[in-house]
Amino acid sequence: MKKFTFTLEKVLSVKNQLHEVKRNELMQLQLQLNNILDAIDDNQREFDKYNSDVNQIMQGGTNSSSIESYKNYFNFLNNREKQLKLEQQHAERMIADKQQEIIEIKTEISGLEKLKEKQLAEYNKALQKQQELEIEEFLNEKISGTT
């Protein structure tokens, strides 16, 4: 009897490769999200630092042009934080989508692996029957040859 071959082995192989690609893409997206979160933290630290500086300057007294420049910089930091938050939301949506893709691919792989196991079990059963028939034929020839 010929060697067992899973009829959908190439499909299973492609699905496994696709799964690896999607996992790598997910890791890249998570790295991107971490970078965005770091940038948000950096922005907040910078905001806090300048807020502290402005409070000290205000206690000592300052002119209106200096206050206006700090106000403009605070607006810049606020706008940057809003932009980073939008990027964070976008990255989180992309991560959720990628996780869903991975789940779907894993489900397909699982189905193919179960089908492979079923085909292998059927192959082994057929192989066992063939071996039993060959043994029976051998014994029948031995018995027929001795009588």
Side-chain angles (χ1 to χ4, degrees), residues 56-71:
Q56 286 179 347
I57 290 171
M58 295 291 275
Q59 287 175 356
T62 186
N63 60 27
S64 62
S65 65
S66 294
I67 293 173
E68 189 65 30
S69 65
Y70 279 111
K71 182 178 173 185

Side-chain angles (χ1 to χ4, degrees), residues 13-110:
S13 175
V14 168
K15 294 290 183 183
N16 280 322
Q17 291 172 1
L18 185 59
H19 179 252
E20 281 302 309
V21 168
K22 296 295 180 183
R23 284 185 53 217
N24 288 337
E25 289 173 356
L26 177 61
M27 287 190 301
Q28 290 293 78
L29 288 170
Q30 289 171 331
L31 180 63
Q32 182 181 359
L33 176 61
N34 287 340
N35 290 339
I36 292 168
L37 293 173
D38 288 344
I40 289 171
D41 289 343
D42 291 345
N43 193 69
Q44 185 61 48
R45 278 191 292 278
E46 190 168 347
F47 186 92
D48 293 342
K49 178 190 175 297
Y50 276 92
N51 190 36
S52 174
D53 290 350
V54 167
N55 286 335
Q56 286 179 347
I57 290 171
M58 295 291 275
Q59 287 175 356
T62 186
N63 60 27
S64 62
S65 65
S66 294
I67 293 173
E68 189 65 30
S69 65
Y70 279 111
K71 182 178 173 185
N72 288 338
Y73 191 67
F74 283 129
N75 285 335
F76 166 76
L77 290 175
N78 282 331
N79 289 335
R80 186 165 67 179
E81 183 170 351
K82 287 177 186 175
Q83 181 61 37
L84 289 169
K85 292 284 186 179
L86 289 174
E87 290 177 23
Q88 176 188 359
Q89 290 173 354
H90 178 71
E92 288 171 344
R93 278 193 305 274
M94 297 212 23
I95 287 171
D97 291 345
K98 194 62 63 181
Q99 288 172 332
Q100 186 60 39
E101 289 177 24
I102 290 172
I103 289 170
E104 291 170 7
I105 290 172
K106 285 174 75 174
T107 302
E108 292 172 10
I109 290 172
S110 176

Side-chain angles (χ1 to χ4, degrees), residues 114-125:
K114 286 180 183 177
L115 181 60
K116 182 178 182 178
E117 289 172 10
K118 182 179 177 185
Q119 285 184 2
L120 180 59
E122 289 172 0
Y123 169 83
N124 287 335
K125 187 175 179 181

Side-chain angles (χ1 to χ4, degrees), residues 129-145:
K129 279 188 177 188
Q130 181 181 355
Q131 288 173 343
E132 288 172 359
L133 285 174
E134 289 173 359
I135 291 171
E136 190 174 312
E137 286 177 13
F138 177 76
L139 291 175
N140 285 338
E141 286 178 11
K142 286 292 184 181
I143 294 173
S144 299

